[in-house]
Amino acid sequence: MRYMNYDEVMETLSPSEAVDALREELKSGFEPANDQERQKVELPHGEMQLLPAGLEEAVGVKVLGIQPEGSDVDVPFIQGSYLLMGGETLTPECVMDAAALTALRTPAVSVACVVDLLRGSSERLDVVIFGTGVQGIGHAKTIADVVDGVRDVSFTFISRTQPSDFSYQWVESGTPAADEAVLKAGLVVMATSSPSPILDAEHLREDVIVLAVGAHTIDTRELHEDVLAGAQVLVEDLGAAQREAGDVVIAIEKGVLTWDDVIPMVDVVRDNVALDPSRRVVVKTVGMPWQDLAVARALVW
């Protein structure tokens, strides 16, 4: 059985190829509403999460071990592996590093929702990314890859402190420079661990695209509800969003939109819904098992 470590996963499939793998799965007829739900298992120390899925010719499961809040054990907060098996034989064929798969998959999902908008213009794209971690950097690489040869792109990262040896432009959060960068941006990525809103609509362009990936429970959010008010709001699946997308759930509770206003990404990918590039677009993703499997399958076959 093959094993793919972190570096091999990241070097085997390009970000734009991961985007294509997800979009092709939806175009081929897969319905995200039929996906398995994430399973959470409480452990004596921390939590295990299981993300099983089945697609054409392949099945798989991601197994994550998550340290409890405040743990002083000197290991990453989230660790795990992905097991890919044959769809009919159920024979294990590959185990791969789950952190790498997640780092590749997460930005591919949010970008897959708006790739036509991003490629639909030749104007320079100014991108602001809140959060300097793996997902922030992963979104920068994915965005750059999908617009390569189509339009120039610049990145400005915003966080409380500047990481050492950081190769991107950086500004401190809460400063006039940060507000100015957001006001200029055509695309804003939220990839933080903040449980409460850190972005409101005050400094956003009316035609901005916002990708929110940091919060993943129904009681946490990175976006103030005014960011979603009047926006074209996309989610991976209505059921998954109702279970885990606090940014959307809380905005609905506060009355700025309804579930009937929320657009599943499959409708955009299949061209059943056309997004208006002159209006704000908000994409809220939480991660679903089928996405890991689609990217894992593309990595191996």
Side-chain angles (χ1 to χ4, degrees):
M1 183 171 58
R2 181 180 178 184
Y3 174 73
M4 300 180 71
N5 63 23
Y6 189 101
D7 290 340
E8 188 175 1
V9 168
M10 301 305 288
E11 293 168 0
T12 299
L13 198 69
S14 72
S16 61
E17 288 171 336
V19 170
D20 290 342
L22 294 166
R23 289 174 61 87
E24 289 167 8
E25 193 60 47
L26 294 178
K27 288 182 177 181
S28 70
F30 177 76
E31 298 295 340
N34 296 330
D35 197 26
Q36 299 291 322
E37 292 186 20
R38 182 196 310 262
Q39 301 175 30
K40 299 181 180 181
V41 181
E42 293 297 325
L43 302 173
H45 180 85
E47 177 183 86
M48 179 185 294
Q49 291 192 6
L50 307 174
L51 288 80
L55 298 174
E56 191 70 26
E57 301 179 349
V59 298
V61 60
K62 183 161 71 174
V63 181
L64 301 176
I66 303 175
Q67 289 288 313
E69 292 291 342
S71 173
D72 59 1
V73 180
D74 188 19
V75 296
F77 179 64
I78 300 177
Q79 303 176 86
S81 297
Y82 194 88
L83 174 63
L84 179 68
M85 300 178 285
E88 292 185 359
T89 65
L90 304 183
T91 302
E93 300 196 8
C94 182
V95 173
M96 63 185 67
D97 184 273
L101 180 61
T102 303
L104 184 61
R105 177 267 291 166
T106 302
V109 174
S110 51
V111 172
C113 295
V114 294
V115 65
D116 291 333
L117 285 181
L118 295 179
R119 292 173 174 167
S121 171
S122 60
E123 295 182 0
R124 175 187 172 89
L125 177 64
D126 294 308
V127 181
V128 163
I129 299 178
F130 284 80
T132 56
V134 170
Q135 284 306 328
I137 294 172
H139 274 78
K141 292 179 178 179
T142 302
I143 293 162
D145 202 25
V146 299
V147 302
D148 184 40
V150 177
R151 60 198 300 190
D152 292 333
V153 59
S154 70
F155 296 98
T156 299
F157 282 75
I158 297 176
S159 65
R160 290 189 297 270
T161 58
Q162 182 176 12
S164 59
D165 300 323
F166 197 65
S167 60
Y168 292 94
Q169 179 175 326
W170 173 89
V171 297
E172 184 178 357
S173 59
T175 63
D179 292 341
E180 182 180 350
V182 172
L183 183 60
K184 182 181 178 183
L187 175 60
V188 175
V189 178
M190 306 300 298
T192 76
S193 59
S194 176
S196 56
I198 56 174
L199 181 70
D200 58 35
E202 180 181 0
H203 298 102
L204 289 174
R205 286 169 33 175
E206 288 300 316
D207 63 346
V208 69
I209 299 171
V210 179
L211 309 180
V213 303
H216 50 80
T217 62
I218 60 171
D219 59 350
T220 59
R221 56 178 177 153
E222 298 173 289
L223 306 176
H224 189 278
E225 64 268 16
D226 65 5
V227 176
L228 290 82
Q232 302 164 97
V233 180
L234 279 68
V235 298
E236 300 139 292
D237 170 68
L238 292 177
Q242 289 166 354
R243 292 189 298 270
E244 301 181 30
D247 294 271
V248 178
V249 171
I250 296 172
I252 289 174
E253 290 175 349
K254 290 184 175 292
V256 302
L257 75 160
T258 70
W259 284 111
D260 289 338
D261 300 320
V262 179
I263 306 168
M265 70 177 289
V266 65
D267 288 340
V268 174
V269 172
R270 293 179 185 168
D271 297 324
N272 297 327
V273 172
L275 298 176
D276 182 352
S278 68
R279 292 177 52 210
R280 183 177 304 155
V281 174
V282 176
V283 178
K284 175 57 191 174
T285 62
V286 296
M288 298 181 68
W290 74 269
Q291 301 158 357
D292 289 310
L293 178 54
V295 175
R297 185 180 58 185
L299 278 161
V300 175
W301 297 327

